[in-house]
Amino acid sequence: MLRDKLFAYHQWASQEILSHIDGLEEAVYTREGASSFSSIKETLSHVITVEKLWLLRMTGIEKPAAEQFHVDTVDEAKQAFMLLHAEMELYFSSLAEEQWQEVMKFTNLRGNTFEETREEMLFTFVNHASYHRGQIVSLLRQFGKEGIALDYIYFPKENR
């Protein structure tokens, strides 16, 4: 099913970017650069916070509180994403098809109200994370480091 492939790609891309960063000197993770967030660490902190918000919204919590994750090191970030993605995978596997299509109401952190299906929510947070992974690659290049290609086309090739 396309949803399963999309989420599997998301998990792979998240771990790939973290493994790539882990192979660099430690200072790159917290170094400040020109982007939406001041560092790779701050970008990843934002992404995982938002992913947890989407999971809570998908479970029916209309206005969840933002949980702060400890991602002070790349290893902490890897672990946090792995645990959250395992929680998501477990939840997703419990949903019947009609539940994926159920319209959920929620309020974002700015106070705006929305209605989306769980399936649309999945696409939203995967797209959001892809955007920020691109920003991380941009930060790496600012720091004189090699980027990493994480487009979907690489996922099936590496995961057959």
Side-chain angles (χ1 to χ4, degrees):
M1 186 162 272
L2 185 57
R3 277 189 308 266
D4 298 333
K5 284 182 180 180
L6 181 66
F7 187 64
Y9 157 72
H10 175 65
Q11 291 174 292
W12 169 82
S14 297
Q15 290 302 316
E16 286 292 305
I17 192 85
L18 287 163
S19 293
H20 182 73
I21 296 163
D22 200 21
L24 304 172
E25 60 270 11
E26 201 174 308
V28 168
Y29 187 65
T30 55
R31 185 172 172 187
E32 292 195 6
S35 191
S36 297
F37 295 93
S38 62
S39 66
I40 293 170
K41 173 189 162 194
E42 294 303 318
T43 304
L44 290 170
S45 177
H46 165 75
V47 171
I48 196 166
T49 297
V50 169
E51 284 190 27
K52 181 67 179 209
L53 284 172
W54 281 110
L55 175 61
L56 294 171
R57 290 169 182 152
M58 291 172 96
T59 66
I61 300 172
E62 287 190 37
K63 196 173 182 180
E67 179 180 339
Q68 295 303 311
F69 289 82
H70 297 285
V71 293
D72 293 332
T73 66
V74 178
D75 284 338
E76 286 179 357
K78 281 182 175 180
Q79 185 71 14
F81 275 99
M82 195 174 2
L83 290 172
L84 178 58
H85 289 169
E87 183 181 357
M88 289 176 157
E89 203 166 24
L90 187 62
Y91 175 69
F92 296 163
S93 69
S94 75
L95 296 174
E97 180 60 34
E98 58 273 4
Q99 290 173 298
W100 278 103
Q101 303 312 317
E102 182 182 357
V103 175
M104 310 295 292
K105 295 179 182 182
F106 64 93
T107 304
N108 71 5
L109 295 175
R110 292 186 177 126
N112 301 318
T113 57
F114 294 88
E115 292 184 13
E116 285 189 344
T117 66
R118 286 184 178 95
E119 186 172 75
E120 290 170 323
M121 290 179 178
L122 173 66
F123 281 87
T124 298
F125 82 74
V126 170
N127 183 61
H128 175 261
S130 291
Y131 171 78
H132 287 299
R133 283 190 289 267
Q135 288 183 317
I136 290 170
V137 169
S138 179
L139 282 168
L140 289 171
R141 289 182 178 141
Q142 284 178 40
F143 304 154
K145 305 299 177 188
E146 188 176 330
I148 181 173
L150 296 171
D151 295 315
Y152 180 83
I153 196 167
Y154 299 105
F155 171 68
K157 183 177 179 182
E158 292 188 25
N159 293 279
R160 290 190 194 260

